[in-house]
Amino acid sequence: MAKHEHVRVAVIGSGFGGIGAAVRLRREGITDFVVLERADSVGGAWRDNSYPGCACDVPSHLYSFSFAPNPDWPRTFSGQRHIRAYLEHVTDTFGIRPHLRLNHEMLQARWDAETLRWEIETSGGTFSAEVLVSAAGPLSDPKIPDIPGLADFPGKVFHSAQWDHDYDLRGKRVAMVGTGASAIQIVPEIQREVGKLTLFQRTPPWVMPRMDRAISAPERWLHRTLPATATLRRGILWGIRELQVGAFTKHPNELGLVEKLAKANIARSIKDPELRARLTPSYRIGCKRILLSNTYYPALAQPNVDVVASGLREVRGSTVVAADGTETEVDAIVFGTGFHVTDIPIAERVVGAEGHTLAESWKDGVQVLRGATAGGFPNLMMIIGPNTGLGNSSMILMIESQLNYMADYLRQLALLTPTGLGGRTALAVRPSAVGAWNRKVQTRMERTVWKSGGCNSWYLDASGRNTTLWPGTTAEFRRETRQVDLSEYEVIRAPEPAPEPARTARKKETAK
């Protein structure tokens, strides 16, 4: 029979958010916690995404924890292998291994209003926890569109986040579906070895040069010897990106110069005017994430590549058919079609105080307070929650801000817990606070390039609301999440245990 564990805190996921939460818990003196991970190792998105060319589009020294600097990043923009190794290193350095419960997929978490605990069922056993921290992240579950005929395709099909390394692409006819951040890294890598590559492009991305280079041995030595130099480097990278935020969130027209530079980048690599026209976006740069590559456009100009300016409509046997009617025979289909971001599957597995799932409570739109807490779900914290994403900087900055909020939440909870009740206290966010926060966020969102730039991005939900990004600077978000405002919460306490009958009887006897 599977073992049951009770802990003070249960963390779901072991990517940057989950490992960061675990480190912060230990630094707060909390060791009674587990990290539930469905896979057999840590790493999150950087474990799952192992496709050819996988790398980060944020500079290495900014894409790492401030409390765990890495002086030995090999490149200014690091690849998947080195980022995953960094997370393994942080796990070991801060003593997180004993808290890991690998191969424990969270199947359901249900709030028990009587015990004020989360009852958690996993594929490896059951748990109860006073606080549940969801760090599953929005890039956890790949999304493959429902394409008629796809199930009957006789060739190979896989998503970029589930790359089949045993399948040999050499000489094959390959369809690449999608033109997001993964696709522009995959295309140059596989173009060199496939027989024919057909790219299905619904919307072209804006692509800027990638200023990547190897970090020299003297630089790495300097950062190891004088850690302040690495801190300074990180600070400069952060400051540059903070200065860019206003163009995205308040003055989108200021992005016009950047757009001209991006068009010049296309012109340098694509000499065919017809292909250049297909690859030039019609929306304002920044409306979708600006992608970085020096090899994407040159790869598309090669004779074994076709760019179909249309999405994939259906599959007929080994023939893939685009929305514009273009038909192509292929041996394999690779989907670079992103993830379930605004409809995260884990929301269907978390059941709150009123017996509804998180997904059901969000049926009219995702709403949380400060990217962290949802109405009707006491003692549930989110890391990388709604409206915490960024369009131009490092998510690690936002994660660390949310870890500050989590830490203060746990401190406040401890202060509010009566001695002797075993932690039977909860904080439930007030619906009025959630509503006020989201009205403020969405009002600010109207001015951003993500709403006014003329594109339909994965940042938007089905109703057109941007529930993904933060419409401000990372410094501002840090201020907003520095500490918990108890006026935004209702304190729930479990009732005092009733006295035992025998003890009551003895008291009456004594009174006589």
Side-chain angles (χ1 to χ4, degrees), residues 252-396:
N253 288 335
E254 292 180 0
L255 292 164
L257 175 60
V258 182
E259 198 168 292
K260 288 180 181 178
L261 295 173
K263 286 181 178 178
N265 186 41
I266 300 173
R268 274 194 299 272
S269 300
I270 306 297
K271 303 307 179 185
D272 179 356
E274 184 182 340
L275 178 57
R276 194 186 309 151
R278 268 182 277 166
L279 296 175
T280 303
S282 59
Y283 56 87
R284 171 64 76 194
I285 194 169
C287 185
K288 292 189 173 190
R289 190 175 182 95
I290 301 171
L291 307 181
L292 305 178
S293 177
N294 299 327
T295 55
Y296 179 64
Y297 289 140
L300 296 184
Q302 299 305 308
N304 68 331
V305 179
D306 278 342
V307 178
V308 178
S310 181
L312 182 60
R313 186 181 69 197
E314 63 177 308
V315 178
R316 300 177 193 153
S318 59
T319 302
V320 289
V321 185
D324 66 1
T326 303
E327 297 186 8
T328 309
E329 291 280 325
V330 297
D331 304 304
I333 304 173
V334 180
F335 284 95
T337 44
F339 300 84
H340 291 276
V341 175
T342 59
D343 58 340
I344 51 175
I346 199 170
E348 298 174 357
R349 304 182 182 190
V350 180
V351 182
E354 297 178 3
H356 301 142
T357 66
L358 197 53
E360 288 170 337
S361 75
W362 287 344
K363 66 181 185 300
D364 296 324
V366 174
Q367 290 202 42
V368 299
L369 175 66
R370 303 179 191 277
T373 51
F377 294 80
N379 283 10
L380 170 67
M381 300 287 300
M382 293 175 225
I383 308 295
I384 320 182
N387 287 121
T388 62
L390 297 174
N392 74 313
S393 193
S394 172
M395 275 305 299
I396 313 306

Side-chain angles (χ1 to χ4, degrees), residues 16 22 44 46 80 84 96 123 156 161 172 244 275 293 313 322 347 352-353 373 421 462 497 506 512:
F16 268 98
W46 294 106
Q80 174 262 347
R84 183 179 180 185
I96 306 304
S123 58
K156 192 70 180 177
K172 299 291 196 308
Q244 297 170 350
L275 178 57
S293 177
R313 186 181 69 197
T373 51
L421 286 185
R506 281 196 298 272
K512 288 180 182 177

